[in-house]
PDB file of all heavy atoms in Angstrom:
ATOM      1  N   THR A 254      45.136 -24.777  -1.659  1.00  0.00           N
ATOM      2  CA  THR A 254      44.206 -25.264  -2.674  1.00  0.00           C
ATOM      3  C   THR A 254      42.772 -24.888  -2.324  1.00  0.00           C
ATOM      4  O   THR A 254      42.442 -24.635  -1.161  1.00  0.00           O
ATOM      5  CB  THR A 254      44.292 -26.796  -2.820  1.00  0.00           C
ATOM      6  OG1 THR A 254      43.970 -27.411  -1.562  1.00  0.00           O
ATOM      7  CG2 THR A 254      45.693 -27.239  -3.253  1.00  0.00           C
ATOM      8  N   ASN A 255      41.940 -24.866  -3.334  1.00  0.00           N
ATOM      9  CA  ASN A 255      40.510 -24.679  -3.175  1.00  0.00           C
ATOM     10  C   ASN A 255      39.829 -25.972  -3.607  1.00  0.00           C
ATOM     11  O   ASN A 255      39.992 -26.413  -4.744  1.00  0.00           O
ATOM     12  CB  ASN A 255      40.023 -23.506  -4.023  1.00  0.00           C
ATOM     13  CG  ASN A 255      38.525 -23.307  -3.929  1.00  0.00           C
ATOM     14  OD1 ASN A 255      37.933 -23.553  -2.877  1.00  0.00           O
ATOM     15  ND2 ASN A 255      37.919 -22.882  -5.023  1.00  0.00           N
ATOM     16  N   SER A 256      39.099 -26.572  -2.694  1.00  0.00           N
ATOM     17  CA  SER A 256      38.481 -27.863  -2.953  1.00  0.00           C
ATOM     18  C   SER A 256      37.074 -27.674  -3.504  1.00  0.00           C
ATOM     19  O   SER A 256      36.222 -27.037  -2.868  1.00  0.00           O
ATOM     20  CB  SER A 256      38.439 -28.699  -1.671  1.00  0.00           C
ATOM     21  OG  SER A 256      37.916 -29.983  -1.942  1.00  0.00           O
ATOM     22  N   LEU A 257      36.847 -28.176  -4.713  1.00  0.00           N
ATOM     23  CA  LEU A 257      35.519 -28.156  -5.333  1.00  0.00           C
ATOM     24  C   LEU A 257      34.877 -29.526  -5.152  1.00  0.00           C
ATOM     25  O   LEU A 257      35.504 -30.560  -5.425  1.00  0.00           O
ATOM     26  CB  LEU A 257      35.621 -27.837  -6.822  1.00  0.00           C
ATOM     27  CG  LEU A 257      36.331 -26.526  -7.204  1.00  0.00           C
ATOM     28  CD1 LEU A 257      36.413 -26.408  -8.718  1.00  0.00           C
ATOM     29  CD2 LEU A 257      35.608 -25.334  -6.617  1.00  0.00           C
ATOM     30  N   THR A 258      33.655 -29.552  -4.683  1.00  0.00           N
ATOM     31  CA  THR A 258      32.954 -30.817  -4.492  1.00  0.00           C
ATOM     32  C   THR A 258      31.580 -30.751  -5.147  1.00  0.00           C
ATOM     33  O   THR A 258      30.933 -29.689  -5.185  1.00  0.00           O
ATOM     34  CB  THR A 258      32.777 -31.155  -2.998  1.00  0.00           C
ATOM     35  OG1 THR A 258      32.000 -30.138  -2.378  1.00  0.00           O
ATOM     36  CG2 THR A 258      34.132 -31.252  -2.307  1.00  0.00           C
ATOM     37  N   LEU A 259      31.146 -31.883  -5.662  1.00  0.00           N
ATOM     38  CA  LEU A 259      29.828 -32.014  -6.274  1.00  0.00           C
ATOM     39  C   LEU A 259      29.044 -33.042  -5.476  1.00  0.00           C
ATOM     40  O   LEU A 259      29.455 -34.194  -5.348  1.00  0.00           O
ATOM     41  CB  LEU A 259      29.957 -32.456  -7.732  1.00  0.00           C
ATOM     42  CG  LEU A 259      28.656 -32.592  -8.533  1.00  0.00           C
ATOM     43  CD1 LEU A 259      27.953 -31.242  -8.636  1.00  0.00           C
ATOM     44  CD2 LEU A 259      28.941 -33.165  -9.917  1.00  0.00           C
ATOM     45  N   ALA A 260      27.958 -32.585  -4.897  1.00  0.00           N
ATOM     46  CA  ALA A 260      27.172 -33.472  -4.043  1.00  0.00           C
ATOM     47  C   ALA A 260      26.514 -34.572  -4.861  1.00  0.00           C
ATOM     48  O   ALA A 260      26.080 -34.358  -6.006  1.00  0.00           O
ATOM     49  CB  ALA A 260      26.116 -32.668  -3.298  1.00  0.00           C
ATOM     50  N   ASP A 261      26.442 -35.751  -4.277  1.00  0.00           N
ATOM     51  CA  ASP A 261      25.751 -36.885  -4.889  1.00  0.00           C
ATOM     52  C   ASP A 261      24.273 -36.804  -4.520  1.00  0.00           C
ATOM     53  O   ASP A 261      23.898 -37.016  -3.372  1.00  0.00           O
ATOM     54  CB  ASP A 261      26.357 -38.194  -4.381  1.00  0.00           C
ATOM     55  CG  ASP A 261      25.731 -39.415  -5.034  1.00  0.00           C
ATOM     56  OD1 ASP A 261      24.824 -39.246  -5.884  1.00  0.00           O
ATOM     57  OD2 ASP A 261      26.129 -40.541  -4.683  1.00  0.00           O
ATOM     58  N   THR A 262      23.469 -36.440  -5.487  1.00  0.00           N
ATOM     59  CA  THR A 262      22.022 -36.316  -5.247  1.00  0.00           C
ATOM     60  C   THR A 262      21.244 -37.508  -5.782  1.00  0.00           C
ATOM     61  O   THR A 262      20.016 -37.474  -5.850  1.00  0.00           O
ATOM     62  CB  THR A 262      21.496 -35.029  -5.903  1.00  0.00           C
ATOM     63  OG1 THR A 262      21.769 -35.080  -7.310  1.00  0.00           O
ATOM     64  CG2 THR A 262      22.173 -33.802  -5.301  1.00  0.00           C
ATOM     65  N   THR A 263      21.981 -38.563  -6.160  1.00  0.00           N
ATOM     66  CA  THR A 263      21.283 -39.719  -6.732  1.00  0.00           C
ATOM     67  C   THR A 263      20.678 -40.615  -5.664  1.00  0.00           C
ATOM     68  O   THR A 263      19.857 -41.464  -5.973  1.00  0.00           O
ATOM     69  CB  THR A 263      22.246 -40.550  -7.595  1.00  0.00           C
ATOM     70  OG1 THR A 263      23.322 -41.047  -6.765  1.00  0.00           O
ATOM     71  CG2 THR A 263      22.834 -39.701  -8.720  1.00  0.00           C
ATOM     72  N   THR A 264      21.109 -40.431  -4.434  1.00  0.00           N
ATOM     73  CA  THR A 264      20.540 -41.202  -3.332  1.00  0.00           C
ATOM     74  C   THR A 264      20.188 -40.252  -2.202  1.00  0.00           C
ATOM     75  O   THR A 264      20.824 -39.206  -2.039  1.00  0.00           O
ATOM     76  CB  THR A 264      21.533 -42.263  -2.805  1.00  0.00           C
ATOM     77  OG1 THR A 264      22.623 -41.598  -2.180  1.00  0.00           O
ATOM     78  CG2 THR A 264      22.057 -43.149  -3.928  1.00  0.00           C
ATOM     79  N   PRO A 265      19.213 -40.595  -1.403  1.00  0.00           N
ATOM     80  CA  PRO A 265      18.857 -39.715  -0.282  1.00  0.00           C
ATOM     81  C   PRO A 265      19.934 -39.661   0.785  1.00  0.00           C
ATOM     82  O   PRO A 265      19.958 -38.738   1.595  1.00  0.00           O
ATOM     83  CB  PRO A 265      17.558 -40.338   0.253  1.00  0.00           C
ATOM     84  CG  PRO A 265      17.592 -41.755  -0.191  1.00  0.00           C
ATOM     85  CD  PRO A 265      18.293 -41.756  -1.511  1.00  0.00           C
ATOM     86  N   GLN A 266      20.844 -40.634   0.802  1.00  0.00           N
ATOM     87  CA  GLN A 266      21.906 -40.633   1.804  1.00  0.00           C
ATOM     88  C   GLN A 266      23.005 -39.612   1.477  1.00  0.00           C
ATOM     89  O   GLN A 266      23.807 -39.258   2.326  1.00  0.00           O
ATOM     90  CB  GLN A 266      22.534 -42.035   1.925  1.00  0.00           C
ATOM     91  CG  GLN A 266      21.626 -43.064   2.575  1.00  0.00           C
ATOM     92  CD  GLN A 266      20.555 -43.574   1.615  1.00  0.00           C
ATOM     93  OE1 GLN A 266      20.738 -43.510   0.395  1.00  0.00           O
ATOM     94  NE2 GLN A 266      19.436 -44.059   2.171  1.00  0.00           N
ATOM     95  N   GLY A 267      23.040 -39.122   0.243  1.00  0.00           N
ATOM     96  CA  GLY A 267      24.027 -38.118  -0.145  1.00  0.00           C
ATOM     97  C   GLY A 267      25.415 -38.699  -0.360  1.00  0.00           C
ATOM     98  O   GLY A 267      25.590 -39.873  -0.667  1.00  0.00           O
ATOM     99  N   GLY A 268      26.430 -37.855  -0.194  1.00  0.00           N
ATOM    100  CA  GLY A 268      27.820 -38.219  -0.448  1.00  0.00           C
ATOM    101  C   GLY A 268      28.437 -37.284  -1.472  1.00  0.00           C
ATOM    102  O   GLY A 268      27.849 -36.267  -1.854  1.00  0.00           O
ATOM    103  N   GLU A 269      29.631 -37.612  -1.911  1.00  0.00           N
ATOM    104  CA  GLU A 269      30.317 -36.814  -2.930  1.00  0.00           C
ATOM    105  C   GLU A 269      30.289 -37.552  -4.257  1.00  0.00           C
ATOM    106  O   GLU A 269      30.758 -38.691  -4.361  1.00  0.00           O
ATOM    107  CB  GLU A 269      31.771 -36.535  -2.529  1.00  0.00           C
ATOM    108  CG  GLU A 269      31.951 -35.366  -1.583  1.00  0.00           C
ATOM    109  CD  GLU A 269      33.408 -35.020  -1.392  1.00  0.00           C
ATOM    110  OE1 GLU A 269      34.254 -35.937  -1.392  1.00  0.00           O
ATOM    111  OE2 GLU A 269      33.711 -33.835  -1.239  1.00  0.00           O
ATOM    112  N   TYR A 270      29.773 -36.890  -5.264  1.00  0.00           N
ATOM    113  CA  TYR A 270      29.726 -37.470  -6.601  1.00  0.00           C
ATOM    114  C   TYR A 270      31.074 -37.302  -7.310  1.00  0.00           C
ATOM    115  O   TYR A 270      31.535 -38.178  -8.019  1.00  0.00           O
ATOM    116  CB  TYR A 270      28.608 -36.807  -7.401  1.00  0.00           C
ATOM    117  CG  TYR A 270      28.302 -37.489  -8.713  1.00  0.00           C
ATOM    118  CD1 TYR A 270      27.534 -38.646  -8.746  1.00  0.00           C
ATOM    119  CD2 TYR A 270      28.779 -36.961  -9.918  1.00  0.00           C
ATOM    120  CE1 TYR A 270      27.257 -39.275  -9.946  1.00  0.00           C
ATOM    121  CE2 TYR A 270      28.513 -37.583 -11.123  1.00  0.00           C
ATOM    122  CZ  TYR A 270      27.747 -38.739 -11.143  1.00  0.00           C
ATOM    123  OH  TYR A 270      27.467 -39.370 -12.334  1.00  0.00           O
ATOM    124  N   ASP A 271      31.687 -36.147  -7.071  1.00  0.00           N
ATOM    125  CA  ASP A 271      33.012 -35.894  -7.644  1.00  0.00           C
ATOM    126  C   ASP A 271      33.662 -34.763  -6.852  1.00  0.00           C
ATOM    127  O   ASP A 271      32.985 -34.002  -6.148  1.00  0.00           O
ATOM    128  CB  ASP A 271      32.916 -35.518  -9.119  1.00  0.00           C
ATOM    129  CG  ASP A 271      34.204 -35.811  -9.885  1.00  0.00           C
ATOM    130  OD1 ASP A 271      35.199 -36.185  -9.237  1.00  0.00           O
ATOM    131  OD2 ASP A 271      34.212 -35.667 -11.124  1.00  0.00           O
ATOM    132  N   SER A 272      34.971 -34.673  -6.963  1.00  0.00           N
ATOM    133  CA  SER A 272      35.693 -33.601  -6.284  1.00  0.00           C
ATOM    134  C   SER A 272      36.946 -33.246  -7.065  1.00  0.00           C
ATOM    135  O   SER A 272      37.469 -34.073  -7.833  1.00  0.00           O
ATOM    136  CB  SER A 272      36.077 -34.008  -4.850  1.00  0.00           C
ATOM    137  OG  SER A 272      37.033 -35.046  -4.862  1.00  0.00           O
ATOM    138  N   LEU A 273      37.399 -32.008  -6.864  1.00  0.00           N
ATOM    139  CA  LEU A 273      38.602 -31.540  -7.541  1.00  0.00           C
ATOM    140  C   LEU A 273      39.255 -30.470  -6.688  1.00  0.00           C
ATOM    141  O   LEU A 273      38.584 -29.579  -6.177  1.00  0.00           O
ATOM    142  CB  LEU A 273      38.249 -30.951  -8.915  1.00  0.00           C
ATOM    143  CG  LEU A 273      39.408 -30.305  -9.693  1.00  0.00           C
ATOM    144  CD1 LEU A 273      40.403 -31.360 -10.142  1.00  0.00           C
ATOM    145  CD2 LEU A 273      38.872 -29.524 -10.888  1.00  0.00           C
ATOM    146  N   ASP A 274      40.562 -30.574  -6.516  1.00  0.00           N
ATOM    147  CA  ASP A 274      41.325 -29.537  -5.823  1.00  0.00           C
ATOM    148  C   ASP A 274      42.060 -28.687  -6.849  1.00  0.00           C
ATOM    149  O   ASP A 274      42.769 -29.214  -7.720  1.00  0.00           O
ATOM    150  CB  ASP A 274      42.341 -30.164  -4.855  1.00  0.00           C
ATOM    151  CG  ASP A 274      41.697 -30.661  -3.580  1.00  0.00           C
ATOM    152  OD1 ASP A 274      40.512 -30.364  -3.369  1.00  0.00           O
ATOM    153  OD2 ASP A 274      42.386 -31.344  -2.798  1.00  0.00           O
ATOM    154  N   ARG A 275      41.900 -27.367  -6.737  1.00  0.00           N
ATOM    155  CA  ARG A 275      42.593 -26.428  -7.613  1.00  0.00           C
ATOM    156  C   ARG A 275      43.603 -25.643  -6.785  1.00  0.00           C
ATOM    157  O   ARG A 275      43.292 -25.175  -5.682  1.00  0.00           O
ATOM    158  CB  ARG A 275      41.608 -25.453  -8.272  1.00  0.00           C
ATOM    159  CG  ARG A 275      40.654 -26.114  -9.261  1.00  0.00           C
ATOM    160  CD  ARG A 275      39.621 -25.112  -9.756  1.00  0.00           C
ATOM    161  NE  ARG A 275      40.250 -23.989 -10.435  1.00  0.00           N
ATOM    162  CZ  ARG A 275      40.560 -23.961 -11.732  1.00  0.00           C
ATOM    163  NH1 ARG A 275      40.296 -25.025 -12.481  1.00  0.00           N
ATOM    164  NH2 ARG A 275      41.116 -22.906 -12.273  1.00  0.00           N
TER     165      ARG A 275
END
Side-chain angles (χ1 to χ4, degrees):
T254 60
N255 178 34
S256 184
L257 304 177
T258 61
L259 182 62
D261 183 0
T262 59
T263 62
T264 68
Q266 289 77 24
E269 277 188 325
Y270 190 79
D271 204 353
S272 67
L273 175 69
D274 283 351
R275 293 174 60 87

